[in-house]
Amino acid sequence: MGESSPKWATPAPLGYGAASEAAHFVAAPLLAGACVATVGVLGADTDKFRWPAPAMLLLTLAFVAFIGSVQYGFHARQHLYSPSDIDDWHPPGASRPEEDGLRREQRRDFQEWRRLSHRGGLAYNAGIVFLGIGTTLVLAPPGGASLGHALCRWTASAVAALGSLAELEWILRRQRMRRALVRAARRDVTGGSPHV
């Protein structure tokens, strides 16, 4: 392969494609359904919750974010394929397009997959945070609750709030790590600076 011949693009880390699919196509739809169900319960029994309206708003935002994650994931997935997929569709030999052209096309599609998948990941992460904060509000006891009931619900609400903050911190840390991996992968591919 010549100096100007492009390499195949790969996810960084390599398992990111499968993880992305699990989030967009398995977890996000299930969590979106849970949001809708909880909003229905809040609407039917508002007197049993301390802050039903803000909780409904946050859970609705979570629902929209999860559906956005599914949509971005769907549109991203059509741009992710491997060299073995290309070999299946264009077997080496008879009437195969030029190798360098296939590699350039795969790299363009991969960049589009990365862009859309990243947006889907942001939507998913926003949905997780909205869901956590909404759950924190749902768990707060209504006014007039007995001491034991209020204590249990405030404790559950605090646990949900701490879990939501931990999740937000995890999301932000993973974003920083992901950016570092992508920069390193670009340096490996281009052999130059990470700004290329």
Side-chain angles (χ1 to χ4, degrees):
M1 177 171 23
E3 186 65 33
S4 64
S5 182
K7 295 181 180 180
W8 297 112
T10 58
L14 286 176
Y16 185 75
S20 176
E21 285 189 27
H24 300 315
F25 304 132
V26 178
L30 291 172
L31 293 170
C35 290
V36 169
T38 306
V39 167
V41 169
L42 288 167
D45 291 324
T46 57
D47 59 318
K48 293 181 174 61
F49 301 95
R50 180 173 290 264
W51 299 301
M56 289 172 79
L57 174 62
L58 286 162
L59 293 170
T60 301
L61 291 171
F63 168 78
V64 170
F66 289 133
I67 295 303
S69 172
V70 171
Q71 289 297 318
Y72 275 121
F74 169 75
H75 291 290
R77 183 60 184 96
Q78 55 195 314
H79 297 283
L80 180 64
Y81 50 89
S82 69
S84 62
D85 291 328
I86 292 173
D87 286 344
D88 288 344
W89 299 326
H90 302 291
S95 71
R96 180 179 169 107
E98 179 186 321
E99 189 75 13
D100 284 351
L102 288 171
R103 288 173 189 257
R104 278 191 292 276
E105 183 178 348
Q106 187 265 345
R107 291 186 64 75
R108 277 192 306 270
D109 281 342
F110 181 82
Q111 292 305 321
E112 184 65 3
W113 169 78
R114 185 181 355 225
R115 184 181 72 81
L116 292 171
S117 184
H118 178 70
R119 288 182 181 180
L122 290 175
Y124 179 82
N125 290 337
I128 291 290
V129 173
F130 289 140
L131 176 61
I133 298 168
T135 301
T136 298
L137 297 181
V138 167
L139 291 170
S146 69
L147 179 62
H149 184 79
L151 181 61
C152 287
R153 283 186 64 169
W154 278 123
T155 302
S157 184
V159 168
L162 289 173
S164 299
L165 289 173
E167 182 66 25
L168 180 59
E169 189 274 331
W170 169 262
I171 289 166
L172 295 174
R173 186 166 10 111
R174 294 299 301 164
Q175 283 295 109
R176 285 191 300 271
M177 289 172 61
R178 185 182 162 284
R179 280 191 214 113
L181 286 170
V182 167
R183 282 193 300 271
R186 285 183 183 157
R187 275 194 304 270
D188 289 347
V189 168
T190 63
S193 81
H195 303 293
V196 175

